[in-house]
Amino acid sequence: MNERFQNALRGEPQKIPPVWMMRQAGRYHRHYQSLKEKYTFVQLCKQPELAAETALGPIQDFDFDAAILFSDILFPLEALGMGLEYSPGPVLDRRLETEADLQSLRPHADAIGHMQFQLEAVRLTRARLPNDKSLIGFIGGAWTLFTYASAGDHGGHLIGAKTRQKLAHMFYERLIPLLVGNVELQLQGGAEVVMVFDTAAGELAPDLFADLALPLVRELTHIFPGKIGYYARATTQDHLRYVRSIQGLAGFGVDHRYEMARLLQNNNGTGSNSDARNSPGERGNAGFVQGNFDQALLFLNEDDFVPALERYLRPLQILSPTERAGWICGLGHGVLPRTPERNVRRFVEKVREVFA
Ligand code: CP3
């Protein structure tokens, strides 16, 4: 396991934060591209040796502190019988639009058998990973998976999903037990923490977010306390309040819309307007905070990239290690296709240089 990553999970103060980026194994990376010349995306996910090889590429090339399982959030929908292809983006061959559509889904007790490939993938990745690196598992968030199931993607205004809230809750009765089993597989295989990527959940008003996105997270943290992290894009402080009130949550990620320094101070009860300080019991719930450099800025040319990164890091350098405790340094979202590799490498190096 990686010491910096483990320290961050435990909220131990440390000088240098661990670095991990969502989508660190992906299309921007030559290692991934060369694998894609020989294999399809689905083969890379479902053949455990290939999944391990894909996940290890960015560790070898960029020396991230943690690897993340190479897979996709949509396989549980396929396991439920929804038919999934990638060409190259995901295409489901069915839609969930009515209660009748639910009846034709595969029962979750059968569906979990279709996720076994992830157990092997996590095991092999763990086995091949150097001892001083950590391993993260992941699943999709309930709301994001419902948007895919009902609308085929998570873009646009989400009208199809937002107007079918009752259907969402009925779908969750099947989906949540499957995802519990899915997380169990990944933890069994050796994942140290499992992230719930709920990309589309920030599109919900905060009270609906609590109602439609968080039931899964509450269920998971109840069963696997200290093992679950949560990320949604474009959340606000109002969404975060609900996230941070979840007992047993290991931590959460945020995008670049937050000021990381202030968020960390408040999370650790050291900020000037900290709500945690006013209610001391809350600190134990806060956990790690992952993020949040704007991934678009990785496209800057060499002369401009380092100053932009330094500017991002400056308010964080001013914090003490105690104030920064729990920080996992990464991006606001994930690495984009065509991102120059040299800036990814420089990012990891620079963070270690600045906090050394
Ligand atoms: O982070 C990693 O390196 C692990 C791998 C990972 C992938 N997908 C591999 C992938 C992770 C963590 C994901 C999560 C995921 N998948 C999310 C949540 C996070 C996010 O980015 O919003 C979502 C919404 C998906 C669904 C999905 N899978 C989409 C929309 C696409 C196509 C477009 C895209 O962004 O690449 C995929 C395919 C996919 N998943 C690829 C990879 C490397 C690209 C496949 C290819 O064309 O080679």
Side-chain angles (χ1 to χ4, degrees):
M1 293 198 229
N2 180 271
E3 203 179 314
R4 290 194 279 256
F5 189 77
Q6 279 294 318
N7 282 341
L9 293 187
R10 287 193 302 260
E12 298 283 349
Q14 61 184 340
K15 281 168 74 177
I16 303 176
V19 185
W20 150 60
M21 293 177 182
M22 190 160 73
R23 296 274 173 117
Q24 65 191 19
R27 285 175 289 177
Y28 78 100
H29 192 197
R30 261 170 306 178
H31 176 263
Y32 179 79
Q33 288 160 12
S34 69
L35 286 163
K36 273 295 291 285
E37 279 167 18
K38 282 183 263 168
Y39 307 102
T40 65
F41 172 67
V42 172
Q43 286 173 318
L44 294 182
C45 293
K46 292 198 173 173
Q47 296 182 22
E49 285 84 7
L50 293 177
E53 174 61 28
T54 310
L56 270 127
I59 304 296
Q60 286 152 355
D61 274 9
F62 309 114
D63 196 34
F64 288 107
D65 291 283
I68 179 162
L69 166 69
F70 191 79
S71 205
D72 200 52
I73 65 165
L74 299 174
F75 290 121
L77 297 182
E78 181 182 51
L80 286 169
M82 293 198 70
L84 174 65
E85 270 177 65
Y86 289 85
S87 65
V91 186
L92 292 162
D93 76 6
R94 302 181 35 193
R95 291 277 176 284
L96 272 188
E97 288 168 338
T98 65
E99 288 177 30
D101 296 333
L102 289 175
Q103 301 317 314
S104 55
L105 292 181
R106 197 180 275 139
H108 61 81
D110 299 340
I112 191 67
H114 294 260
M115 298 304 300
Q116 291 296 320
F117 70 92
Q118 276 192 352
L119 173 63
E120 286 313 309
V122 178
R123 270 197 189 132
L124 266 181
T125 308
R126 176 92 262 177
R128 286 195 48 197
L129 200 60
N131 285 336
D132 64 347
K133 299 293 178 189
S134 277
L135 181 58
I136 302 167
F138 73 94
I139 61 166
W143 175 252
T144 299
L145 291 180
F146 180 66
T147 65
Y148 272 97
S150 58
D153 62 32
H154 67 192
H157 297 286
L158 305 182
I159 293 163
K162 287 184 180 182
T163 55
R164 290 189 176 90
Q165 294 177 28
K166 186 166 160 243
L167 185 67
H169 284 291
M170 294 173 74
F171 176 55
Y172 291 173
E173 286 171 30
R174 290 164 185 262
L175 180 69
I176 291 178
L178 173 60
L179 295 177
V180 167
N182 195 171
V183 167
E184 195 172 9
L185 286 183
Q186 294 185 15
L187 290 172
Q188 212 184 327
E192 288 158 51
V193 68
V194 175
M195 289 298 296
V196 175
F197 291 134
D198 211 352
T199 309
E203 302 299 326
L204 290 162
D207 68 315
L208 290 177
F209 169 77
D211 205 45
L212 288 161
L214 297 186
L216 168 69
V217 189
R218 288 195 206 95
E219 178 78 6
L220 289 172
T221 52
H222 178 69
I223 302 173
F224 310 108
K227 296 288 179 194
I228 305 298
Y230 183 77
Y231 167 81
R233 214 185 125 265
T235 57
T236 66
Q237 293 282 359
D238 292 319
H239 296 89
L240 267 200
R241 246 199 318 273
Y242 287 108
V243 172
R244 291 170 66 187
S245 71
I246 297 174
Q247 291 287 332
L249 189 70
F252 58 86
V254 293
D255 69 19
H256 53 275
R257 292 168 178 84
Y258 287 84
E259 279 181 339
M260 181 55 87
R262 208 139 66 93
L263 188 57
L264 284 170
Q265 280 185 300
N266 289 342
N267 204 46
N268 289 324
T270 51
S272 55
N273 58 352
S274 157
D275 37 343
R277 191 184 50 181
N278 297 333
S279 51
E282 204 169 282
R283 193 187 159 183
N285 296 343
F288 73 76
V289 183
Q290 176 250 326
N292 69 345
F293 184 72
D294 185 341
Q295 54 281 341
L297 299 183
L298 287 169
F299 285 80
L300 284 169
N301 67 44
E302 210 161 3
D303 290 344
D304 296 330
F305 171 66
V306 171
L309 180 59
E310 285 171 342
R311 176 184 176 149
Y312 168 76
L313 295 174
R314 215 166 289 133
L316 290 147
Q317 283 171 265
I318 297 168
L319 301 187
S320 69
T322 305
E323 290 171 308
R324 269 194 269 117
W327 182 32
I328 298 174
C329 181
L331 302 178
H333 196 73
V335 191
L336 298 164
R338 291 185 291 281
T339 296
E341 288 184 15
R342 120 183 137 274
N343 285 346
V344 173
R345 185 171 295 110
R346 196 78 198 100
F347 184 99
V348 178
E349 289 167 356
K350 190 78 200 167
V351 168
R352 291 185 185 149
E353 226 171 85
V354 155
F355 292 103

